[in-house]
Amino acid sequence: MIRTRVECVQGDISNQPDMDAVVNAANAQLQPGSGVAGALHRGAGPGLAQECQALAPIRPGQAVITGAYDLPNRRVIHCLGPVYGRDEPSEQLLADCYRHALALAERESLVSVAFPAISTGVFGYPLAEAAEVAIATVLAALADSSLTRVRFVLFSQADLVVFQRALDAALTAA
Ligand code: AR6
């Protein structure tokens, strides 16, 4: 049974002050980039990239956890999503990101996690397909979870609609 509240919002992943952890759509080297990684490293300050150096490189599907520095959260969980059309099987690697991120959060007794739409920017994963994978994986992983809240943070209104539809459909089917 899922007791965790799952929600979709439009917003900036670097401005989620009510969440214990935010998830980074990272690169293999865990260094600042564009999009989500750029926003989170800007918000965190240079300490984040320094701590990340010792943990890199990571493989597609893998997740690692660090401090959040100047971000308004306790921890940052860094996931390397698959590059669409290159890292296969892309669906499984994307699902691994969500599963591994939630497992890290539970291991550290965090109660709330905010995800961006991993792989759907620079890495080219079609948004609707990514939404299906993200929602199905998270809902499956939340059975008997101790997390109280999982949030999907979408950058645009159009992306929010796609994720919200996928969430509503999955909850109706459950
Ligand atoms: N808050 C929430 N979502 C955002 C934000 C933000 N501040 N900025 C962008 N998005 P991306 P990827 C959305 O490219 O595809 C980086 O350079 C964006 O619209 O950040 O996993 C890294 O260094 C898209 O829907 O991540 C890697 O090299 C989604 O977040 C590479 O890009 C993910 O876009 C990772 O590519």
Side-chain angles (χ1 to χ4, degrees):
M1 182 187 152
I2 298 177
R3 283 174 290 262
T4 314
R5 179 167 146 199
V6 182
E7 61 193 14
C8 300
V9 304
Q10 184 186 359
D12 181 344
I13 193 73
S14 68
N15 183 26
Q16 302 298 320
D18 57 336
M19 304 303 277
D20 276 354
V22 285
V23 174
N24 183 14
N27 49 62
Q29 297 304 324
L30 301 173
Q31 291 305 300
S34 59
V36 167
L40 289 176
H41 279 273
R42 263 195 310 281
L48 180 60
Q50 259 165 35
E51 182 180 352
C52 280
Q53 264 175 12
L55 302 171
I58 64 169
R59 297 178 308 281
Q62 205 184 341
V64 294
I65 190 162
T66 66
Y69 299 86
D70 293 339
L71 288 165
N73 313 97
R74 289 171 59 193
R75 308 289 268 160
V76 177
I77 299 171
H78 307 260
C79 295
L80 179 60
V83 175
Y84 194 73
R86 189 190 79 185
D87 300 322
E88 299 291 351
S90 58
E91 189 176 325
Q92 189 189 314
L93 293 170
L94 186 61
D96 285 346
C97 288
Y98 288 94
R99 267 195 295 269
H100 290 150
L102 291 174
L104 282 176
E106 296 236 18
R107 194 180 308 163
E108 298 219 356
S109 304
L110 305 174
V111 300
S112 50
V113 182
F115 285 97
I118 298 168
S119 281
T120 65
V122 172
F123 284 176
Y125 211 116
L127 191 83
E129 289 175 35
E132 297 279 342
V133 173
I135 301 271
T137 305
V138 166
L139 291 182
L142 287 179
D144 293 319
S145 164
S146 53
L147 291 169
T148 61
R149 200 172 340 168
V150 171
R151 177 179 294 162
F152 293 100
V153 179
L154 290 314
F155 212 33
S156 71
Q157 177 67 27
D159 290 358
L160 171 63
V161 168
V162 172
F163 262 70
Q164 188 66 59
R165 277 203 191 121
L167 176 60
D168 292 344
L171 290 176
T172 307

